Amino acid sequence: MKKMLVPLLLVGGALAAPWCRAALPADVEQVMSKPLADLAGKEGLVLTVTYPPGGADSIHRHNAHAFVYVLEGSIVMQVKGGAAVTLKPGQGFYEAPDDIHVVGRNASQTEPAKFVVFLLKDRGAPAVIPVQ
């Protein structure tokens, strides 16, 4: 029975894939992290984020001041209660510590998008906190 189950799951997954594709996750790389001596208990964290074509984030928050600067492609960003905005290279976006990031995705299904994120956060706190 186990030998039949694996091929059935693979075939079932392949047939279902076109209708229920999950967005591809972002590639996140840490550029630097620096404790901020004049802001007790705080640190600056710089990340680069690359969305593959069709890539997106899950709903999350940062519990930090988040500054986004688009390098390549275009991205769609939205915080709860705000309007979705499409950003192109050279444009920026801000998230406050209490914001819930409800949309973060590549605006393109064919080209990647890349941006820099600077977080001003509590030292040692996670950069991203999933929200249910």
Side-chain angles (χ1 to χ4, degrees), residues 76-87 93-94 100-103:
V76 180
M77 296 281 164
Q78 181 181 9
V79 294
K80 187 173 183 177
V85 293
T86 301
L87 305 165
F93 186 77
Y94 170 77
I100 296 175
H101 194 154
V102 294
V103 176

Side-chain angles (χ1 to χ4, degrees), residues 23-29 47-60 62 68-79 85-88 93 95 101-117 128:
L24 297 172
D27 177 34
V28 180
E29 293 185 27
L47 308 168
T48 58
V49 179
T50 303
Y51 286 143
D57 292 326
S58 299
I59 297 173
H60 64 275
H62 297 287
V68 172
Y69 181 79
V70 181
L71 299 170
E72 301 170 9
S74 61
I75 61 174
V76 180
M77 296 281 164
Q78 181 181 9
V79 294
V85 293
T86 301
L87 305 165
K88 297 181 187 314
F93 186 77
E95 291 178 53
H101 194 154
V102 294
V103 176
R105 66 175 175 84
N106 190 337
S108 173
Q109 295 294 318
T110 59
E111 300 294 325
K114 185 173 185 176
F115 55 98
V116 173
V117 180
V128 177

